[in-house]
Amino acid sequence: MEVEWILLCHGMVTLALVVSLLCGQWPIFQGTIVERLHYFLTFGAYDYFLRFVRAVFCSKCTDAILSVEYYCCNRPNPILQILYLVIISITYYLIVKFSFPYIPSYYLSGIHRYASLLAVAVGVLLFLLTSFSDPGIINVGNVSQHLSSYPYDNMIYSEKECPTCKIPKPARSKHCSICDRCVARFDHHCGWMNNCIGERNTRYFMAFLFWHFLLCLYGTVAIGLIVAGKLQELRIVHILTVYYGVEKSFLGLAPHIAQWLLGSYDTQILIMVFLSIVGMLLFGFFGYHAKLCLSNTTTNETFKWQECISRQRKLNEADSCDAFPRASTSGTSKWEAFFRRSSPDEVDVPKNNIYDRGFIHNVQEVIFPHSTRRSFIGTKSKPG
């Protein structure tokens, strides 16, 4: 049982670290140990490491580490792309080595040997398509067309010039500091793709997330059916109940079956746990971006709206404070005026997203971006 407990603890620790690293900033984890663990993993541990290097060695070693950090985090590089290919290759290799010998099985036909390879190939194709496609680069030759695609809302976007590219900055665009280029309908820079996610490749990025979620689900279910098939073929339940006198109930059989599975198919179980965790994270990430697409909002714009609403809320609170002395001099007691004021949470600040034009239009805009339409090519002048 020691090995089983070690594997269980290893899985729980891995799950806690992955959730903390990827989801620690979510509002639901605010003020919890998950948020503190996220801070330690993303900043605290690295800061302590730099202090240790500076104290034990010299400042030149610290400068060298910071140079590597700058290249890895602030410049285009293929490190995470290579890591993705390594992860998917090793995972598929382990599945082939430890699961393919049992195919066909009691519940699974032999076609899945080839279906799984096709599914992985489609996933890699979507990865390459997202990584190397044009995200919607804005330049002198097409800036007038991009200016015509989206009007300025004069709330989070107003008419201005990109200080780096020295060209007019269309609404919904952003200059990516990592790639050093302006991107239309900028969402975010994805290190895994080594590319910006913008107007022209958001559709590929969404397809990549959804397909890899299905890929993880497919792998988990397929391996689960293989293990369940062996359980049925070897008649483990019959042996436990007839020869060992185990009670034929879920609570009675579960511990013994779990022990047998971890002892006989521990690698398959670990692969299933890994695929399940990655699949849940991918589904959550896909759901977040799907919600943004359905409301015609980008990740970049969510931060801009938060800043805009926070700024408007402070202005409203300032107006309420200015109204306080006027209320006290107009025959209203100061206590009535005080309690009549809105608290920060009660200040109503509307979010007027002029780019949200309905479910169907929003989905069409992601699937068929403006810059891929014939009308975009024919547009030459900036709207007045």
Side-chain angles (χ1 to χ4, degrees), residues 1 3 18 42 75 156 158 203-204 226 238 280 296 326 364:
M1 288 293 291
V3 176
V18 171
T42 56
R75 301 308 307 159
I156 60 175
S158 58
R203 49 187 174 173
Y204 304 138
I226 290 173
H238 177 75
M280 288 188 292
N296 208 336
R326 292 197 298 270
Q364 286 179 340

Side-chain angles (χ1 to χ4, degrees), residues 35-244:
E35 183 185 35
R36 292 192 289 271
L37 187 56
H38 171 83
Y39 175 82
F40 177 77
L41 292 173
T42 56
F43 178 78
Y46 181 62
D47 183 54
Y48 287 126
F49 172 70
L50 288 178
R51 293 182 184 181
F52 172 78
V53 171
R54 187 180 295 110
V56 175
F57 300 100
C58 60
S59 59
K60 289 185 178 181
C61 294
T62 307
D63 294 338
I65 294 173
L66 292 175
S67 299
V68 174
E69 176 201 352
Y70 177 78
Y71 172 76
C72 294
C73 302
N74 298 300
R75 301 308 307 159
N77 64 81
I79 295 176
L80 289 180
Q81 287 178 301
I82 296 172
L83 181 60
Y84 161 80
L85 294 174
V86 169
I87 291 173
I88 198 168
S89 300
I90 292 177
T91 303
Y92 189 66
Y93 168 77
L94 293 174
I95 291 173
V96 169
K97 182 176 180 180
F98 293 100
S99 298
F100 272 31
Y102 303 107
I103 299 176
S105 66
Y106 191 87
Y107 295 110
L108 218 58
S109 65
I111 191 66
H112 291 279
R113 285 173 172 262
Y114 311 101
S116 61
L117 179 60
L118 178 61
V120 171
V122 171
V124 174
L125 178 62
L126 289 172
F127 169 76
L128 296 175
L129 195 60
T130 310
S131 297
F132 298 103
S133 60
D134 175 14
I137 301 173
I138 302 173
N139 50 44
V140 177
N142 62 17
V143 65
S144 59
Q145 291 97 315
H146 282 290
L147 286 167
S148 302
S149 297
Y150 300 102
Y152 293 109
D153 62 356
N154 294 317
M155 293 186 69
I156 60 175
Y157 295 111
S158 58
E159 190 172 352
K160 62 178 65 175
E161 182 184 85
C162 175
T164 305
C165 298
K166 303 300 180 184
I167 59 175
K169 192 173 183 180
R172 313 197 74 183
S173 67
K174 186 179 184 295
H175 185 91
C176 178
S177 59
I178 297 176
C179 297
D180 194 24
R181 60 191 181 184
C182 281
V183 177
R185 199 180 179 276
F186 181 87
D187 189 274
H188 70 286
H189 179 89
C190 181
W192 288 98
M193 307 296 175
N194 193 26
N195 196 9
C196 296
I197 305 301
E199 182 199 31
R200 293 176 69 97
N201 65 350
T202 296
R203 49 187 174 173
Y204 304 138
F205 179 69
M206 295 291 294
F208 168 84
L209 291 177
F210 185 64
W211 185 261
H212 278 70
F213 159 69
L214 294 179
L215 195 61
C216 291
L217 181 63
Y218 173 44
T220 303
V221 173
I223 297 175
L225 289 175
I226 290 173
V227 174
K230 298 305 295 182
L231 193 70
Q232 183 71 21
E233 291 173 2
L234 298 175
R235 303 182 67 188
I236 301 300
V237 174
H238 177 75
I239 293 173
L240 287 174
T241 53
V242 174
Y243 292 97
Y244 290 92

Side-chain angles (χ1 to χ4, degrees), residues 364-382:
Q364 286 179 340
E365 191 172 301
V366 173
I367 300 176
F368 307 106
H370 286 296
S371 58
T372 62
R373 304 175 187 177
R374 293 182 179 179
S375 58
F376 179 87
I377 301 175
T379 305
K380 295 294 180 183
S381 60
K382 176 183 173 182

Side-chain angles (χ1 to χ4, degrees), residues 308-328:
C308 179
I309 292 174
S310 177
R311 185 168 58 250
Q312 290 183 355
R313 181 178 287 117
K314 290 179 180 179
L315 290 174
N316 290 351
E317 292 174 10
D319 292 340
S320 299
C321 292
D322 292 340
F324 176 77
R326 292 197 298 270
S328 61

Side-chain angles (χ1 to χ4, degrees), residues 263-333:
S264 304
Y265 300 97
D266 54 342
T267 303
Q268 289 85 345
I269 298 299
L270 288 176
I271 294 174
M272 286 178 61
V273 171
F274 172 75
L275 292 176
S276 300
I277 294 173
V278 175
M280 288 188 292
L281 294 174
L282 286 171
F283 182 74
F285 202 42
F286 171 79
Y288 169 75
H289 279 278
K291 181 181 178 181
L292 293 180
C293 290
L294 293 178
S295 61
N296 208 336
T297 310
T298 64
T299 303
N300 179 54
E301 288 170 351
T302 57
F303 294 106
K304 286 182 174 291
W305 276 115
Q306 290 174 4
E307 294 173 1
C308 179
I309 292 174
S310 177
R311 185 168 58 250
Q312 290 183 355
R313 181 178 287 117
K314 290 179 180 179
L315 290 174
N316 290 351
E317 292 174 10
D319 292 340
S320 299
C321 292
D322 292 340
F324 176 77
R326 292 197 298 270
S328 61
T329 58
S330 60
T332 305
S333 70

